[in-house]
Amino acid sequence: MRKVLSVMAPPAPSPHSLATTGLVKHSMTMTEKILARASERSRLEPGENVWVNVDVLMTHDVCGPGTFGIFKREFGRNAKVWDREKIVVIPEHYIFTSDERANRNVDILRDYCIEQNIKYFYDIKDLSNFRVNPDYKGVCHIALAQEGHCRPGEVLLGTDSHTCNAGAFGQFATGIGNTDAGFVMGTGKVLLKVPPTMRFVLDGEMPDYLLAKDLILQIIGEITVSGATYKSMEFTGSAVESLTMEERMTLCNMVIEAGGKNGVVPPDETTFKYLEDKTSVKYEPVYSDDNARFISDYKFDVSKLEPTVAKPHSPDNRALARECKDVKIDRVYIGSCTGGKTEDFLAAARVFLASGKKVKVPTFLVPATQKVWMDIYSLPVPGSGGKTCSQIFEEAGCDVPASPSCGACLGGPRDTYARMNEPQVCVSTTNRNFPGRMGHKEGQIYLASPYTAAASALTGFVTDPRQFLM
């Protein structure tokens, strides 16, 4: 790996000089261009505060009731939202629980959505069997992508810090608080400061034992959890171009763990193909100019990287998986917006299939969405002779795949599936490992890729997946 902290790119032309078109030329990054268009400005500089027109606002069962409450308080009891088709409401956090207050949150959302005639409310009523709820989706960030709400060049805001996940589509996506979201509900606008952009160039051929989770853990370990505070993180390079959309989501999902305002990947044919059957809304991609100014450049040769973990209790507590081989674990958790997508489960199944062994610790599987759950039971795993993930998981002795939701990623009520109610050691494909994050405040969480998580489940120790994949 070679890190390059660049000086500024060559200075932009003088405002008085003319570009070859005969017009004044001002180079901008992707993020600056998206915000310039959304604020109806021809040019923006990092640090400027601008009113931005929002394309999509998302909220969920934890923040939705508060957001609607603020909207009513500030705009009036009889006020109507600015656009019922641009608000997406997704129950997902505390769903499959007997906790009355958690259940009440979903009821409150339903009442507001009916009153406001919200078009995209992905409701759930029967908690005993999620499959009888056709509108229910699951984890908001993956559902947003699967349902076509993520589009290049747009502005997507959500009342959840991992809203930056949608930057994988080449759009500006970031989390906001309930107060800002309540204002957006009434006006369709938000006041934003334009962030400067850090560029991460990832080149080289991805080894078949690495996943995007390894890449982002490597990056966060390099720059620390505050290294990108209120900055845009743009990912480019041949390795990024080779990633699928779900893997790009993993990259962008965790920029918030470095303090990033947003993450973004330039859209390409992979992006456009993914969107073909998901949206009919016209979109216009944007790209950073050749002479755009980045405050820093980091360059990685991914062919030289190794499977990586983040040790307790911070996402930047980086270590190689092989360096933690003596760490005995009590459980493995595969799920969340970061690590509960279809390809994450296919990756885990690949390790189990290659080993032909049974897991040595309880291994919990929580699909992000209904679609992911169905994929687990229907898609054949490459090289398996037609077996599905579910069959391979059963043969390996894993728990039966759970109902799609955020699950134990952020703890939740005590009866949440797979919640850490004891001070155990867990290898997890989730995004945060702070004390108490998955339940018990003395629990220890090792963040890892699905490959590393599955390998660790097979040995009972933090394990480099190359032990089974090479």
Side-chain angles (χ1 to χ4, degrees):
M1 183 198 71
R2 182 169 65 92
K3 180 180 74 174
V4 178
L5 281 174
S6 76
V7 296
M8 289 290 190
S14 162
H16 302 293
S17 63
L18 296 180
T20 54
T21 59
L23 299 175
V24 174
K25 175 71 174 176
H26 175 72
S27 297
M28 291 188 287
T29 66
M30 283 181 65
T31 292
E32 291 159 11
K33 283 186 176 181
I34 293 169
L35 295 180
R37 179 194 295 167
S39 60
E40 300 174 8
R41 296 273 300 274
S42 61
R43 59 180 288 179
L44 285 178
E45 297 277 0
E48 286 191 71
N49 294 308
V50 291
W51 286 103
V52 171
N53 295 311
V54 178
D55 294 293
V56 176
L57 172 69
M58 183 279 299
T59 191
H60 50 53
D61 55 297
V62 173
C63 297
T67 296
F68 275 110
I70 290 169
F71 164 70
K72 288 285 189 176
R73 185 189 70 197
E74 298 299 326
F75 291 90
R77 294 178 61 185
N78 298 319
K80 294 296 183 182
V81 297
W82 108 96
D83 192 326
R84 74 176 192 87
E85 295 189 7
K86 292 187 175 183
I87 295 172
V88 183
V89 182
I90 308 179
E92 47 133 32
H93 271 71
Y94 306 143
I95 305 303
F96 303 104
T97 173
S98 60
D99 186 283
E100 293 181 358
R101 287 173 294 184
N103 298 156
R104 182 171 175 266
N105 271 5
V106 180
D107 294 338
I108 292 171
L109 281 187
R110 185 179 303 112
D111 291 342
Y112 276 126
C113 288
I114 291 173
E115 173 199 296
Q116 295 289 330
N117 195 24
I118 300 298
K119 182 176 181 179
Y120 300 109
F121 172 45
Y122 299 113
D123 196 9
I124 181 168
K125 294 180 180 177
D126 187 342
L127 304 183
S128 65
N129 182 1
F130 71 89
R131 284 174 289 174
V132 302
N133 300 272
D135 291 336
Y136 178 68
K137 302 304 175 186
V139 176
C140 62
H141 308 301
I142 310 309
L144 283 169
Q146 292 175 344
E147 299 304 313
H149 299 296
C150 300
R151 296 176 290 265
E154 293 191 353
V155 173
L156 185 154
L157 305 179
T159 58
D160 190 284
S161 60
H162 291 106
T163 302
C164 49
N165 186 87
F169 291 85
Q171 65 183 136
F172 180 85
T174 195
I176 58 174
N178 291 5
T179 304
D180 280 343
F183 185 83
V184 174
M185 273 190 176
T187 66
K189 297 178 181 292
V190 72
L191 183 65
L192 286 175
K193 181 168 72 172
V194 181
T197 299
M198 305 170 72
R199 181 166 56 184
F200 297 83
V201 183
L202 285 72
D203 285 319
E205 185 176 350
M206 278 277 283
D208 62 2
Y209 48 79
L210 285 188
L211 293 168
K213 184 67 170 289
D214 297 295
L215 305 184
I216 193 62
L217 289 178
Q218 178 73 27
I219 289 169
I220 296 170
E222 186 74 20
I223 67 175
T224 79
V225 290
S226 60
T229 301
Y230 210 94
K231 297 177 179 68
S232 175
M233 297 172 67
E234 182 172 326
F235 301 100
T236 66
S238 61
V240 176
E241 293 168 3
S242 73
L243 296 178
T244 65
M245 287 309 301
E246 290 196 357
E247 284 285 83
R248 296 178 189 189
M249 288 185 223
T250 301
L251 267 187
C252 290
N253 179 278
M254 287 190 68
V255 302
I256 185 61
E257 316 312 337
K261 181 65 175 176
N262 70 302
V264 69
V265 174
D268 57 14
E269 287 304 315
T270 300
T271 318
F272 309 144
K273 184 171 180 57
Y274 182 94
L275 291 171
E276 277 180 0
D277 62 348
K278 294 180 174 61
T279 182
S280 59
V281 177
K282 292 183 179 180
Y283 54 82
E284 186 178 345
V286 299
Y287 304 90
S288 292
D289 292 321
D290 291 341
N291 292 326
R293 287 176 288 180
F294 298 93
I295 60 167
S296 58
D297 270 334
Y298 285 80
K299 296 186 178 182
F300 297 86
D301 180 349
V302 302
S303 67
K304 293 181 170 57
L305 300 182
E306 298 185 57
T308 304
V309 300
K311 300 184 294 185
H313 293 284
S314 179
D316 65 359
N317 193 10
R318 179 184 61 187
L320 299 179
R322 61 179 173 81
E323 294 173 336
C324 303
K325 61 184 176 62
D326 295 326
V327 176
K328 191 176 187 304
I329 66 173
D330 301 300
R331 50 160 52 199
V332 164
Y333 185 96
I334 301 175
S336 83
C337 55
T338 316
K341 304 178 292 298
T342 296
E343 291 174 10
D344 297 317
F345 287 105
L346 286 169
R350 180 187 171 209
V351 175
F352 292 138
L353 182 68
S355 74
K357 299 178 180 179
K358 296 259 187 189
V359 297
K360 292 187 176 179
V361 295
T363 301
F364 304 102
L365 311 170
V366 186
T369 64
Q370 279 225 51
K371 184 183 183 308
V372 175
W373 188 93
M374 289 187 288
D375 287 345
I376 288 174
Y377 280 89
S378 62
L379 292 183
V381 176
S384 69
K387 290 182 180 179
T388 64
C389 286
S390 61
Q391 291 172 309
I392 293 171
F393 294 151
E394 182 179 3
E395 291 172 359
C398 302
D399 263 33
V400 175
S403 300
S405 75
C406 292
C409 175
L410 71 167
R414 192 170 179 82
D415 64 349
T416 298
Y417 175 76
R419 186 184 190 273
M420 290 177 66
N421 292 324
E422 298 176 2
Q424 296 179 316
V425 179
C426 178
V427 172
S428 178
T429 65
T430 54
N431 42 56
R432 288 177 179 156
N433 58 351
F434 311 132
R437 170 67 182 184
M438 296 184 73
H440 201 286
K441 65 181 180 181
E442 295 176 10
Q444 297 184 51
I445 304 164
Y446 286 77
L447 302 179
S449 77
Y451 280 162
T452 301
S456 302
L458 291 166
T459 64
F461 292 84
V462 175
T463 300
D464 189 315
R466 287 177 288 188
Q467 179 173 329
F468 301 103
L469 294 177
M470 293 184 69

